[in-house]
Amino acid sequence: MGTTPLALPPARYDHGADEFVFVEIDQAMSLEANFKAMTITAALREEGLDGVVDICPSNASYMIRVDPDRLDPVELVEHLRELERSAGSLPADYVLPTRVVDVPVLFDDPWTRETLLRFRDRHQDPQATDLEYAARINGFAGVDELVEALSGAPYLVTMIGFVPGLPFCYQMVPPQRQIEVPKYVRPRTDTPERAFGFGGAFAVVYPVRGAGGYQLFGIAPAPVFDLQQRLPDFASGIAFPRPGDILRYRAVDRAEYDQVRSEVDSGTFRYRVREVEFSPAEFLADPDAVNSELLEVLYR
């Protein structure tokens, strides 16, 4: 049975007081690093070790909270090193049960455009919109070509955090096709709720209105965070995205945006979701083929 090697440096293990163990898989974010973090944390969760209080995967790292009266953190680190050695390669038959989700986005919308224009003095290119700036520095002919690339391939939710419900999403394309943009020179003091932003190589949907520094590309009509759990998709929790989810940010027009907003307002909106078994090894071998299969399943 074949395996796919993960060419990553040895992980770095740190203790946080006597309750936390932090493990850095790699200093740089990559899909390989995130796959390794997910593999290890999934195995640890499956084991159900007594004394492990919480498991928190991140982009290229993870953190474990421990009850030191039930589990010695030093012993846990030794066990995590064993899991790291076993996760040095991805077995061809390893699959991640997850969800593929359709997330509509209205690009170049009036609300984020109004916001970004108020903060041009904090931006690298005050004479351009964020989409125009991102298209130029990434070598696209224009905004339309950039939007096509942004919505053309799905994204992996590598972590949830910073504020409740905020999904950090890394596009599932080879490194040479990754879109990257810097954050604002100085953060904005205002960002619309549900704004679709991009910073570094990560896409996000802002769950609430507030400060922010990511480039503003558009806005989603549906929430990713619902404190009142009013919508059916939030019955089991106030945040909809989960680490390991695969999101397709699909470009929509104003008419579809307004239609989804009316469904959200009436409490009838449901995300289009398909349960899948995702093979990281197959993806690393042929990303475009696996992405095509995922989108075919989503819109079947």
Side-chain angles (χ1 to χ4, degrees):
M1 187 175 296
T3 61
T4 299
L6 294 175
L8 296 167
R12 180 172 64 85
Y13 295 81
D14 286 321
H15 293 276
D18 57 357
E19 285 188 60
F20 295 93
V21 173
F22 174 74
V23 184
E24 182 182 76
I25 300 295
D26 198 1
Q27 289 186 337
M29 170 60 200
S30 67
L31 289 167
E32 290 86 347
N34 192 251
F35 290 155
K36 188 171 183 178
M38 286 195 296
T39 301
I40 293 171
T41 54
L44 186 65
R45 192 173 289 110
E46 183 71 20
E47 290 176 342
L49 285 181
D50 182 49
V52 172
V53 178
D54 200 6
I55 302 171
C56 183
S58 184
N59 295 324
S61 61
Y62 62 93
M63 187 164 65
I64 311 297
R65 185 179 181 186
V66 181
D67 180 346
D69 293 329
R70 294 153 58 199
L71 178 62
D72 186 338
V74 175
E75 293 180 4
L76 175 62
V77 167
E78 289 307 309
H79 183 61
L80 294 176
R81 290 186 190 276
E82 293 176 8
L83 292 178
E84 180 193 356
R85 286 189 286 271
S86 67
S89 296
L90 288 170
D93 60 349
Y94 172 74
V95 295
L96 173 70
T98 188
R99 309 181 297 177
V100 188
V101 185
D102 175 74
V103 181
V105 174
L106 178 62
F107 287 90
D108 198 17
D109 65 284
W111 302 281
T112 58
R113 176 180 275 265
E114 185 277 331
T115 300
L116 66 88
L117 289 176
R118 281 193 281 124
F119 293 97
R120 294 332 281 165
D121 62 325
R122 304 177 183 221
H123 195 271
Q124 292 85 352
D125 186 351
Q127 306 306 314
T129 67
D130 293 5
L131 278 167
E132 291 167 343
Y133 169 70
R136 176 171 58 79
I137 67 171
N138 281 277
F140 291 101
V143 167
D144 290 345
E145 191 174 296
L146 170 63
V147 170
E148 184 177 346
L150 289 166
S151 58
Y155 296 71
L156 182 71
V157 179
T158 57
M159 65 170 284
I160 304 292
F162 190 68
V163 293
L166 189 148
F168 283 83
C169 302
Y170 195 79
Q171 195 169 32
M172 297 166 59
V173 294
Q176 64 272 21
R177 284 162 49 194
Q178 285 286 347
I179 296 164
E180 294 190 27
V181 293
K183 299 178 186 178
Y184 275 42
V185 176
R186 288 184 294 130
R188 297 177 304 275
T189 56
D190 189 27
T191 305
E193 178 192 345
R194 307 183 320 280
F196 177 75
F198 220 97
F202 289 96
V204 301
V205 173
Y206 283 80
V208 295
R209 184 177 181 179
Y214 279 20
Q215 307 285 333
L216 295 178
F217 289 172
I219 195 165
V224 294
F225 176 77
D226 182 0
L227 185 60
Q228 284 72 41
Q229 296 178 266
R230 190 176 60 88
L231 294 171
D233 286 323
F234 296 83
S236 61
I238 58 177
F240 176 74
R242 307 168 188 163
D245 276 352
I246 296 170
L247 310 184
R248 194 281 174 98
Y249 290 114
R250 180 173 56 88
V252 301
D253 59 18
R254 180 61 186 269
E256 184 171 351
Y257 175 91
D258 290 341
Q259 174 60 35
V260 174
R261 284 304 301 159
S262 68
E263 293 174 8
V264 170
D265 292 342
S266 66
T268 61
F269 173 77
R270 297 296 301 264
Y271 279 103
R272 177 187 287 267
V273 178
R274 297 291 184 268
E275 304 282 342
V276 298
E277 290 193 339
F278 173 69
S279 168
E282 288 184 9
F283 171 82
L284 292 174
D286 194 343
D288 290 335
V290 171
N291 285 342
S292 294
E293 292 174 7
L294 291 170
L295 296 183
E296 182 182 346
V297 169
L298 180 58
Y299 299 114
R300 184 178 297 159

